[in-house]
Amino acid sequence: MQCRPYTRIAFAQAPGRTRLETAVIVQYQTSTEPGASMTASSKIRHLIGVAAPGKYAGWPANSGMWHWGNELLFGFAFADHQDKESGHTYNRETSRQRFARSLDGGETWQSEDAVRRGITARAKDHEPGPDATEPQACPGGFDCSHPGFAVTFRRTSDADGPSHFYVTVDRGQRWQGPYALPLFGQPGILARTDYLVEDRCTLLAMLTASKRNGREGRVGCVRTRDGGASWQWVSWLDEEPDGFAIMPSTVRLGPASLLCAVRRREAGRNWLAAYRSDDHAATWRRTADPTDDTGPGGNPPALIRLTDGRLCVGYAVRSRDPHNPSRVCVRFSSDDGAGWDPEVVLRHDDGANADVGYVRMVQRPDGHVVMAYYYNHACRDAPAYRYIAVTIFDPDDL
């Protein structure tokens, strides 16, 4: 069964929302044409997180996604749309971080200004204006086990330079920081948000670092044992690649065991690799690749452990072919990542060019998975603006 859009893709003002929180209305129908190549359940729903005419919204994977029951939160970049012949079609000087929050398990969303929530330091794709603050030393002592706790990491560059972080204990209503993150002797730390809480004061963060030549990247991990005041280098996942290994997404398999999926590129090939540790991240070994192709340019993974014990990895496969648009997919593993089931396509054939993806996912209490990513319909007779899409599905239905 394929999901095919009606021709109508419209922008509509939602009551009580500002222009920056305008919703996109996308209507879908299902097709059971013989020989349809993509598999998609009619129970898969594609919703809108945040969108607006003339605006560009992107990259949830950079900022992070969190959930507390049916309260969900993720970060993203929001900027003016700017037509370009290549690259991302946005005006970087206007880019500012925002959050999207749902109180009903991802069914509806409200957009929040990140600066007003405390995200005040300049960062990649975040220009908070003349009142920007400089990262300071973290006082530490944060209770990582607090029910409202979350961390978001921010980088200042794609290649080198420092990163910083913020902490919240009230579900992102207010972020404390910015706090400086060490360089750990590297040319740069290019941090996105991927971490595991280990106990009240201990947190393991998975980071991308610059390679020796100052370019991204290589994945390693660091740990704080005092609630953020100090950080210690733990390990590299692999040797320095000729291409890059960036943007980790990590889950816990057992008391000492972890699995980390990584965006890889080598000699023009883009795919997802995975690494396993069975000694609290002290050492890592390569395991089965979650998928062997993420399209030109590649895309990062979003890895979660489902309540039934399976692993689920989400990702986008980019395409520059308007006749074979980009797609959004998941794969499952029932053996802790030793092998992966065939790809399940959640979304395809509705006009997305290669500027899509950067998935993040959570599983809500009823078992449904909520996936956030950025998307467009540029290959169709529709506005080319990028928006934040949300796909909700029951993994038992796929």
Side-chain angles (χ1 to χ4, degrees):
M1 182 179 294
Q2 284 184 295
C3 288
R4 295 184 180 274
Y6 289 108
T7 57
R8 176 174 171 268
I9 301 176
F11 290 91
Q13 185 77 31
R17 291 189 177 185
T18 68
R19 181 175 180 272
L20 296 185
E21 295 162 346
T22 303
V24 174
I25 299 172
V26 183
Q27 294 181 310
Y28 285 88
Q29 63 184 3
T30 59
S31 170
T32 54
E33 299 173 1
S37 60
M38 295 299 145
T39 302
S41 167
S42 61
K43 295 182 180 180
I44 298 170
R45 295 183 295 125
H46 304 309
L47 310 176
I48 302 301
V50 178
K55 295 293 180 179
Y56 185 110
W59 313 299
N62 289 341
S63 301
M65 187 173 187
W66 310 267
H67 70 117
W68 303 270
N70 279 318
E71 183 175 358
L72 281 58
L73 183 72
F74 65 82
F76 63 97
F78 202 62
D80 290 342
H81 175 86
Q82 184 177 45
D83 288 327
K84 298 178 182 179
E85 292 185 1
S86 62
H88 301 299
T89 56
Y90 78 120
N91 182 339
R92 183 175 175 181
E93 294 180 357
T94 67
S95 185
R96 179 177 283 190
Q97 292 289 311
R98 297 184 71 85
F99 291 104
R101 187 184 303 271
S102 174
L103 301 178
D104 55 12
E107 302 294 334
T108 61
W109 298 84
Q110 292 289 331
S111 177
E112 303 173 353
D113 188 319
V115 173
R116 294 180 182 178
R117 297 297 191 196
I119 307 299
T120 54
R122 286 188 175 88
K124 173 75 174 177
D125 295 315
H126 184 51
E127 296 293 338
D131 296 327
T133 56
E134 292 295 323
Q136 304 295 319
C138 179
F142 285 108
D143 181 358
C144 303
S145 63
H146 189 284
F149 176 85
V151 181
T152 184
F153 291 89
R154 306 295 167 116
R155 72 201 192 286
T156 56
S157 167
D158 281 334
D160 55 17
S163 292
H164 54 271
F165 67 99
Y166 302 83
V167 177
T168 181
V169 293
D170 58 7
R171 304 182 178 186
Q173 296 294 334
R174 180 67 187 175
W175 294 87
Q176 300 179 54
Y179 300 126
L181 196 65
L183 281 170
F184 305 102
Q186 306 305 314
I189 295 295
L190 319 175
R192 276 93 161 183
T193 302
D194 179 36
Y195 65 89
L196 296 172
V197 172
E198 297 185 321
D199 61 36
R200 186 178 184 277
C201 294
T202 307
L203 181 144
L204 181 76
M206 310 297 296
L207 304 173
T208 302
S210 301
K211 298 187 296 182
R212 289 188 294 269
N213 62 7
R215 302 182 64 180
E216 62 174 4
R218 184 183 180 191
V219 174
C221 54
V222 300
R223 181 178 278 124
T224 178
R225 298 185 182 276
D226 52 17
S230 63
W231 297 82
Q232 297 77 44
W233 186 263
V234 179
S235 62
W236 294 109
L237 268 67
D238 206 343
E239 298 297 321
E240 182 176 292
D242 291 332
F244 70 42
I246 64 174
M247 303 190 71
S249 181
T250 311
V251 297
R252 182 170 298 283
L253 303 176
S257 298
L258 312 172
L259 189 74
C260 178
V262 174
R263 177 183 177 184
R264 286 296 309 272
R265 179 184 299 163
E266 204 71 47
R269 178 188 171 218
N270 292 278
W271 79 102
L272 301 181
Y275 300 84
R276 176 169 177 150
S277 173
D278 293 302
D279 54 10
H280 300 283
T283 61
W284 298 83
R285 61 178 173 85
R286 186 81 176 269
T287 185
D289 292 342
T291 190
D292 61 3
D293 182 25
T294 51
N299 232 274
L303 181 63
I304 62 172
R305 190 174 185 92
L306 302 173
T307 53
D308 65 10
R310 289 182 295 165
L311 301 180
C312 178
V313 63
Y315 55 95
V317 180
R318 285 173 161 163
S319 173
R320 298 192 179 107
D321 181 357
H323 302 292
N324 181 30
S326 297
R327 63 187 188 268
V328 179
C329 313
V330 292
R331 288 180 186 258
F332 299 95
S333 174
S334 300
D335 54 12
D336 286 345
W340 293 89
D341 296 339
E343 181 176 277
V344 178
V345 178
L346 302 179
R347 189 168 194 173
H348 180 63
D349 202 30
D350 57 351
N353 69 13
D355 199 18
V356 298
Y358 277 59
V359 169
R360 275 295 174 262
M361 301 189 300
V362 297
Q363 188 176 27
R364 65 190 192 187
D366 68 357
H368 286 70
V369 173
V370 182
M371 172 190 285
Y373 52 98
Y374 80 118
Y375 210 66
N376 69 75
H377 302 279
C379 297
R380 294 289 186 266
D381 184 17
Y385 310 133
R386 278 57 169 158
Y387 65 92
I388 301 298
V390 173
T391 292
I392 301 176
F393 63 94
D394 185 340
D396 291 336
D397 288 339
L398 301 183

PDB file of all heavy atoms in Angstrom, residues 260-286:
ATOM      1  N   CYS A 260      25.453   1.844  19.740  1.00  0.00           N
ATOM      2  CA  CYS A 260      25.501   3.190  19.188  1.00  0.00           C
ATOM      3  C   CYS A 260      25.453   3.111  17.671  1.00  0.00           C
ATOM      4  O   CYS A 260      26.287   2.444  17.054  1.00  0.00           O
ATOM      5  CB  CYS A 260      26.781   3.903  19.635  1.00  0.00           C
ATOM      6  SG  CYS A 260      26.961   5.576  18.965  1.00  0.00           S
ATOM      7  N   ALA A 261      24.475   3.757  17.057  1.00  0.00           N
ATOM      8  CA  ALA A 261      24.396   3.882  15.600  1.00  0.00           C
ATOM      9  C   ALA A 261      24.997   5.215  15.194  1.00  0.00           C
ATOM     10  O   ALA A 261      24.816   6.227  15.883  1.00  0.00           O
ATOM     11  CB  ALA A 261      22.952   3.773  15.127  1.00  0.00           C
ATOM     12  N   VAL A 262      25.694   5.237  14.058  1.00  0.00           N
ATOM     13  CA  VAL A 262      26.486   6.390  13.639  1.00  0.00           C
ATOM     14  C   VAL A 262      26.271   6.642  12.153  1.00  0.00           C
ATOM     15  O   VAL A 262      26.168   5.696  11.361  1.00  0.00           O
ATOM     16  CB  VAL A 262      27.987   6.140  13.920  1.00  0.00           C
ATOM     17  CG1 VAL A 262      28.845   7.254  13.361  1.00  0.00           C
ATOM     18  CG2 VAL A 262      28.221   5.991  15.418  1.00  0.00           C
ATOM     19  N   ARG A 263      26.217   7.889  11.775  1.00  0.00           N
ATOM     20  CA  ARG A 263      26.189   8.284  10.362  1.00  0.00           C
ATOM     21  C   ARG A 263      27.591   8.185   9.782  1.00  0.00           C
ATOM     22  O   ARG A 263      28.515   8.804  10.281  1.00  0.00           O
ATOM     23  CB  ARG A 263      25.657   9.710  10.249  1.00  0.00           C
ATOM     24  CG  ARG A 263      25.637  10.286   8.847  1.00  0.00           C
ATOM     25  CD  ARG A 263      25.152  11.727   8.889  1.00  0.00           C
ATOM     26  NE  ARG A 263      25.176  12.357   7.575  1.00  0.00           N
ATOM     27  CZ  ARG A 263      24.870  13.650   7.374  1.00  0.00           C
ATOM     28  NH1 ARG A 263      24.527  14.420   8.398  1.00  0.00           N
ATOM     29  NH2 ARG A 263      24.907  14.145   6.147  1.00  0.00           N
ATOM     30  N   ARG A 264      27.736   7.409   8.698  1.00  0.00           N
ATOM     31  CA  ARG A 264      29.050   7.192   8.111  1.00  0.00           C
ATOM     32  C   ARG A 264      29.082   7.638   6.646  1.00  0.00           C
ATOM     33  O   ARG A 264      28.107   7.521   5.922  1.00  0.00           O
ATOM     34  CB  ARG A 264      29.429   5.702   8.162  1.00  0.00           C
ATOM     35  CG  ARG A 264      29.810   5.173   9.536  1.00  0.00           C
ATOM     36  CD  ARG A 264      31.062   5.819  10.095  1.00  0.00           C
ATOM     37  NE  ARG A 264      32.190   5.801   9.170  1.00  0.00           N
ATOM     38  CZ  ARG A 264      33.069   4.811   9.078  1.00  0.00           C
ATOM     39  NH1 ARG A 264      32.961   3.753   9.865  1.00  0.00           N
ATOM     40  NH2 ARG A 264      34.073   4.887   8.214  1.00  0.00           N
ATOM     41  N   ARG A 265      30.265   8.089   6.228  1.00  0.00           N
ATOM     42  CA  ARG A 265      30.535   8.399   4.827  1.00  0.00           C
ATOM     43  C   ARG A 265      31.970   8.000   4.514  1.00  0.00           C
ATOM     44  O   ARG A 265      32.884   8.317   5.278  1.00  0.00           O
ATOM     45  CB  ARG A 265      30.333   9.883   4.530  1.00  0.00           C
ATOM     46  CG  ARG A 265      30.636  10.253   3.061  1.00  0.00           C
ATOM     47  CD  ARG A 265      30.505  11.746   2.842  1.00  0.00           C
ATOM     48  NE  ARG A 265      29.144  12.196   3.131  1.00  0.00           N
ATOM     49  CZ  ARG A 265      28.815  13.472   3.338  1.00  0.00           C
ATOM     50  NH1 ARG A 265      29.751  14.409   3.284  1.00  0.00           N
ATOM     51  NH2 ARG A 265      27.576  13.804   3.599  1.00  0.00           N
ATOM     52  N   GLU A 266      32.148   7.308   3.402  1.00  0.00           N
ATOM     53  CA  GLU A 266      33.468   6.888   2.981  1.00  0.00           C
ATOM     54  C   GLU A 266      33.467   6.718   1.470  1.00  0.00           C
ATOM     55  O   GLU A 266      32.636   5.974   0.924  1.00  0.00           O
ATOM     56  CB  GLU A 266      33.837   5.559   3.643  1.00  0.00           C
ATOM     57  CG  GLU A 266      35.322   5.307   3.762  1.00  0.00           C
ATOM     58  CD  GLU A 266      35.982   6.201   4.800  1.00  0.00           C
ATOM     59  OE1 GLU A 266      35.461   6.321   5.929  1.00  0.00           O
ATOM     60  OE2 GLU A 266      37.027   6.797   4.470  1.00  0.00           O
ATOM     61  N   ALA A 267      34.378   7.416   0.776  1.00  0.00           N
ATOM     62  CA  ALA A 267      34.541   7.285  -0.676  1.00  0.00           C
ATOM     63  C   ALA A 267      33.221   7.449  -1.411  1.00  0.00           C
ATOM     64  O   ALA A 267      32.915   6.695  -2.346  1.00  0.00           O
ATOM     65  CB  ALA A 267      35.178   5.936  -1.000  1.00  0.00           C
ATOM     66  N   GLY A 268      32.432   8.431  -0.991  1.00  0.00           N
ATOM     67  CA  GLY A 268      31.170   8.715  -1.663  1.00  0.00           C
ATOM     68  C   GLY A 268      30.012   7.848  -1.244  1.00  0.00           C
ATOM     69  O   GLY A 268      28.874   8.066  -1.680  1.00  0.00           O
ATOM     70  N   ARG A 269      30.247   6.850  -0.413  1.00  0.00           N
ATOM     71  CA  ARG A 269      29.176   5.986   0.082  1.00  0.00           C
ATOM     72  C   ARG A 269      28.664   6.511   1.411  1.00  0.00           C
ATOM     73  O   ARG A 269      29.455   6.883   2.292  1.00  0.00           O
ATOM     74  CB  ARG A 269      29.692   4.562   0.258  1.00  0.00           C
ATOM     75  CG  ARG A 269      28.648   3.600   0.823  1.00  0.00           C
ATOM     76  CD  ARG A 269      29.265   2.257   1.170  1.00  0.00           C
ATOM     77  NE  ARG A 269      28.318   1.423   1.890  1.00  0.00           N
ATOM     78  CZ  ARG A 269      28.636   0.624   2.896  1.00  0.00           C
ATOM     79  NH1 ARG A 269      29.904   0.533   3.296  1.00  0.00           N
ATOM     80  NH2 ARG A 269      27.717  -0.105   3.487  1.00  0.00           N
ATOM     81  N   ASN A 270      27.331   6.535   1.589  1.00  0.00           N
ATOM     82  CA  ASN A 270      26.700   6.986   2.828  1.00  0.00           C
ATOM     83  C   ASN A 270      25.855   5.857   3.404  1.00  0.00           C
ATOM     84  O   ASN A 270      25.028   5.276   2.682  1.00  0.00           O
ATOM     85  CB  ASN A 270      25.818   8.204   2.553  1.00  0.00           C
ATOM     86  CG  ASN A 270      26.627   9.429   2.168  1.00  0.00           C
ATOM     87  OD1 ASN A 270      27.153  10.130   3.016  1.00  0.00           O
ATOM     88  ND2 ASN A 270      26.734   9.679   0.866  1.00  0.00           N
ATOM     89  N   TRP A 271      26.051   5.573   4.697  1.00  0.00           N
ATOM     90  CA  TRP A 271      25.298   4.486   5.327  1.00  0.00           C
ATOM     91  C   TRP A 271      25.280   4.702   6.842  1.00  0.00           C
ATOM     92  O   TRP A 271      25.810   5.693   7.346  1.00  0.00           O
ATOM     93  CB  TRP A 271      25.921   3.148   4.962  1.00  0.00           C
ATOM     94  CG  TRP A 271      27.156   2.741   5.705  1.00  0.00           C
ATOM     95  CD1 TRP A 271      27.236   1.846   6.736  1.00  0.00           C
ATOM     96  CD2 TRP A 271      28.518   3.179   5.480  1.00  0.00           C
ATOM     97  NE1 TRP A 271      28.536   1.701   7.168  1.00  0.00           N
ATOM     98  CE2 TRP A 271      29.342   2.488   6.404  1.00  0.00           C
ATOM     99  CE3 TRP A 271      29.118   4.058   4.576  1.00  0.00           C
ATOM    100  CZ2 TRP A 271      30.727   2.690   6.462  1.00  0.00           C
ATOM    101  CZ3 TRP A 271      30.480   4.253   4.631  1.00  0.00           C
ATOM    102  CH2 TRP A 271      31.266   3.573   5.557  1.00  0.00           C
ATOM    103  N   LEU A 272      24.666   3.766   7.563  1.00  0.00           N
ATOM    104  CA  LEU A 272      24.661   3.782   9.020  1.00  0.00           C
ATOM    105  C   LEU A 272      25.482   2.610   9.530  1.00  0.00           C
ATOM    106  O   LEU A 272      25.278   1.466   9.105  1.00  0.00           O
ATOM    107  CB  LEU A 272      23.235   3.681   9.575  1.00  0.00           C
ATOM    108  CG  LEU A 272      22.258   4.773   9.165  1.00  0.00           C
ATOM    109  CD1 LEU A 272      20.898   4.541   9.821  1.00  0.00           C
ATOM    110  CD2 LEU A 272      22.780   6.163   9.513  1.00  0.00           C
ATOM    111  N   ALA A 273      26.413   2.886  10.421  1.00  0.00           N
ATOM    112  CA  ALA A 273      27.207   1.852  11.086  1.00  0.00           C
ATOM    113  C   ALA A 273      26.752   1.747  12.540  1.00  0.00           C
ATOM    114  O   ALA A 273      26.093   2.638  13.072  1.00  0.00           O
ATOM    115  CB  ALA A 273      28.694   2.196  11.011  1.00  0.00           C
ATOM    116  N   ALA A 274      27.121   0.647  13.187  1.00  0.00           N
ATOM    117  CA  ALA A 274      26.758   0.457  14.590  1.00  0.00           C
ATOM    118  C   ALA A 274      27.930  -0.145  15.353  1.00  0.00           C
ATOM    119  O   ALA A 274      28.729  -0.928  14.804  1.00  0.00           O
ATOM    120  CB  ALA A 274      25.532  -0.436  14.709  1.00  0.00           C
ATOM    121  N   TYR A 275      28.013   0.207  16.643  1.00  0.00           N
ATOM    122  CA  TYR A 275      29.087  -0.229  17.520  1.00  0.00           C
ATOM    123  C   TYR A 275      28.484  -0.646  18.856  1.00  0.00           C
ATOM    124  O   TYR A 275      27.544  -0.014  19.349  1.00  0.00           O
ATOM    125  CB  TYR A 275      30.095   0.900  17.743  1.00  0.00           C
ATOM    126  CG  TYR A 275      30.744   1.379  16.470  1.00  0.00           C
ATOM    127  CD1 TYR A 275      30.106   2.322  15.666  1.00  0.00           C
ATOM    128  CD2 TYR A 275      31.980   0.890  16.056  1.00  0.00           C
ATOM    129  CE1 TYR A 275      30.696   2.756  14.478  1.00  0.00           C
ATOM    130  CE2 TYR A 275      32.571   1.330  14.887  1.00  0.00           C
ATOM    131  CZ  TYR A 275      31.926   2.259  14.101  1.00  0.00           C
ATOM    132  OH  TYR A 275      32.497   2.686  12.941  1.00  0.00           O
ATOM    133  N   ARG A 276      29.077  -1.697  19.428  1.00  0.00           N
ATOM    134  CA  ARG A 276      28.573  -2.210  20.705  1.00  0.00           C
ATOM    135  C   ARG A 276      29.687  -2.182  21.747  1.00  0.00           C
ATOM    136  O   ARG A 276      30.856  -2.487  21.457  1.00  0.00           O
ATOM    137  CB  ARG A 276      28.059  -3.636  20.534  1.00  0.00           C
ATOM    138  CG  ARG A 276      27.606  -4.269  21.843  1.00  0.00           C
ATOM    139  CD  ARG A 276      26.859  -5.561  21.651  1.00  0.00           C
ATOM    140  NE  ARG A 276      26.527  -6.154  22.940  1.00  0.00           N
ATOM    141  CZ  ARG A 276      25.461  -6.903  23.176  1.00  0.00           C
ATOM    142  NH1 ARG A 276      24.594  -7.152  22.175  1.00  0.00           N
ATOM    143  NH2 ARG A 276      25.240  -7.408  24.373  1.00  0.00           N
ATOM    144  N   SER A 277      29.291  -1.815  22.962  1.00  0.00           N
ATOM    145  CA  SER A 277      30.192  -1.893  24.107  1.00  0.00           C
ATOM    146  C   SER A 277      29.546  -2.781  25.168  1.00  0.00           C
ATOM    147  O   SER A 277      28.341  -2.680  25.414  1.00  0.00           O
ATOM    148  CB  SER A 277      30.456  -0.512  24.696  1.00  0.00           C
ATOM    149  OG  SER A 277      31.208  -0.623  25.900  1.00  0.00           O
ATOM    150  N   ASP A 278      30.348  -3.630  25.806  1.00  0.00           N
ATOM    151  CA  ASP A 278      29.867  -4.462  26.912  1.00  0.00           C
ATOM    152  C   ASP A 278      30.631  -4.191  28.203  1.00  0.00           C
ATOM    153  O   ASP A 278      30.591  -5.004  29.134  1.00  0.00           O
ATOM    154  CB  ASP A 278      29.977  -5.953  26.529  1.00  0.00           C
ATOM    155  CG  ASP A 278      29.019  -6.327  25.409  1.00  0.00           C
ATOM    156  OD1 ASP A 278      27.801  -6.130  25.583  1.00  0.00           O
ATOM    157  OD2 ASP A 278      29.489  -6.778  24.347  1.00  0.00           O
ATOM    158  N   ASP A 279      31.324  -3.032  28.256  1.00  0.00           N
ATOM    159  CA  ASP A 279      32.104  -2.686  29.452  1.00  0.00           C
ATOM    160  C   ASP A 279      31.926  -1.208  29.815  1.00  0.00           C
ATOM    161  O   ASP A 279      32.880  -0.509  30.089  1.00  0.00           O
ATOM    162  CB  ASP A 279      33.579  -3.029  29.252  1.00  0.00           C
ATOM    163  CG  ASP A 279      34.180  -2.404  27.993  1.00  0.00           C
ATOM    164  OD1 ASP A 279      33.513  -1.550  27.368  1.00  0.00           O
ATOM    165  OD2 ASP A 279      35.309  -2.775  27.625  1.00  0.00           O
ATOM    166  N   HIS A 280      30.674  -0.765  29.805  1.00  0.00           N
ATOM    167  CA  HIS A 280      30.342   0.601  30.212  1.00  0.00           C
ATOM    168  C   HIS A 280      31.036   1.644  29.339  1.00  0.00           C
ATOM    169  O   HIS A 280      31.472   2.689  29.820  1.00  0.00           O
ATOM    170  CB  HIS A 280      30.702   0.846  31.680  1.00  0.00           C
ATOM    171  CG  HIS A 280      29.997  -0.049  32.649  1.00  0.00           C
ATOM    172  ND1 HIS A 280      28.675   0.137  33.013  1.00  0.00           N
ATOM    173  CD2 HIS A 280      30.421  -1.163  33.318  1.00  0.00           C
ATOM    174  CE1 HIS A 280      28.324  -0.804  33.879  1.00  0.00           C
ATOM    175  NE2 HIS A 280      29.357  -1.597  34.069  1.00  0.00           N
ATOM    176  N   ALA A 281      31.170   1.372  28.046  1.00  0.00           N
ATOM    177  CA  ALA A 281      31.714   2.303  27.047  1.00  0.00           C
ATOM    178  C   ALA A 281      33.225   2.409  27.065  1.00  0.00           C
ATOM    179  O   ALA A 281      33.794   3.252  26.379  1.00  0.00           O
ATOM    180  CB  ALA A 281      31.095   3.697  27.182  1.00  0.00           C
ATOM    181  N   ALA A 282      33.910   1.529  27.790  1.00  0.00           N
ATOM    182  CA  ALA A 282      35.375   1.578  27.809  1.00  0.00           C
ATOM    183  C   ALA A 282      35.960   1.156  26.468  1.00  0.00           C
ATOM    184  O   ALA A 282      36.968   1.718  26.012  1.00  0.00           O
ATOM    185  CB  ALA A 282      35.918   0.695  28.927  1.00  0.00           C
ATOM    186  N   THR A 283      35.350   0.156  25.829  1.00  0.00           N
ATOM    187  CA  THR A 283      35.781  -0.302  24.509  1.00  0.00           C
ATOM    188  C   THR A 283      34.555  -0.583  23.661  1.00  0.00           C
ATOM    189  O   THR A 283      33.453  -0.827  24.183  1.00  0.00           O
ATOM    190  CB  THR A 283      36.640  -1.585  24.596  1.00  0.00           C
ATOM    191  OG1 THR A 283      35.852  -2.640  25.181  1.00  0.00           O
ATOM    192  CG2 THR A 283      37.887  -1.345  25.431  1.00  0.00           C
ATOM    193  N   TRP A 284      34.761  -0.559  22.341  1.00  0.00           N
ATOM    194  CA  TRP A 284      33.665  -0.759  21.395  1.00  0.00           C
ATOM    195  C   TRP A 284      34.107  -1.716  20.291  1.00  0.00           C
ATOM    196  O   TRP A 284      35.284  -1.780  19.952  1.00  0.00           O
ATOM    197  CB  TRP A 284      33.258   0.578  20.759  1.00  0.00           C
ATOM    198  CG  TRP A 284      32.757   1.590  21.739  1.00  0.00           C
ATOM    199  CD1 TRP A 284      33.521   2.429  22.503  1.00  0.00           C
ATOM    200  CD2 TRP A 284      31.400   1.865  22.060  1.00  0.00           C
ATOM    201  NE1 TRP A 284      32.712   3.221  23.282  1.00  0.00           N
ATOM    202  CE2 TRP A 284      31.399   2.900  23.028  1.00  0.00           C
ATOM    203  CE3 TRP A 284      30.178   1.358  21.610  1.00  0.00           C
ATOM    204  CZ2 TRP A 284      30.226   3.428  23.564  1.00  0.00           C
ATOM    205  CZ3 TRP A 284      29.002   1.879  22.145  1.00  0.00           C
ATOM    206  CH2 TRP A 284      29.032   2.898  23.113  1.00  0.00           C
ATOM    207  N   ARG A 285      33.161  -2.415  19.715  1.00  0.00           N
ATOM    208  CA  ARG A 285      33.416  -3.262  18.558  1.00  0.00           C
ATOM    209  C   ARG A 285      32.324  -3.033  17.527  1.00  0.00           C
ATOM    210  O   ARG A 285      31.172  -2.760  17.855  1.00  0.00           O
ATOM    211  CB  ARG A 285      33.466  -4.738  18.960  1.00  0.00           C
ATOM    212  CG  ARG A 285      32.173  -5.283  19.564  1.00  0.00           C
ATOM    213  CD  ARG A 285      32.286  -6.760  19.896  1.00  0.00           C
ATOM    214  NE  ARG A 285      31.121  -7.247  20.615  1.00  0.00           N
ATOM    215  CZ  ARG A 285      29.990  -7.661  20.031  1.00  0.00           C
ATOM    216  NH1 ARG A 285      29.885  -7.605  18.708  1.00  0.00           N
ATOM    217  NH2 ARG A 285      28.975  -8.101  20.745  1.00  0.00           N
ATOM    218  N   ARG A 286      32.703  -3.168  16.278  1.00  0.00           N
ATOM    219  CA  ARG A 286      31.759  -2.994  15.180  1.00  0.00           C
ATOM    220  C   ARG A 286      30.771  -4.147  15.147  1.00  0.00           C
ATOM    221  O   ARG A 286      31.143  -5.308  15.358  1.00  0.00           O
ATOM    222  CB  ARG A 286      32.536  -2.912  13.868  1.00  0.00           C
ATOM    223  CG  ARG A 286      31.712  -2.590  12.638  1.00  0.00           C
ATOM    224  CD  ARG A 286      31.437  -1.095  12.513  1.00  0.00           C
ATOM    225  NE  ARG A 286      30.715  -0.850  11.264  1.00  0.00           N
ATOM    226  CZ  ARG A 286      31.307  -0.574  10.109  1.00  0.00           C
ATOM    227  NH1 ARG A 286      32.631  -0.496  10.056  1.00  0.00           N
ATOM    228  NH2 ARG A 286      30.594  -0.359   9.022  1.00  0.00           N
TER     229      ARG A 286
END
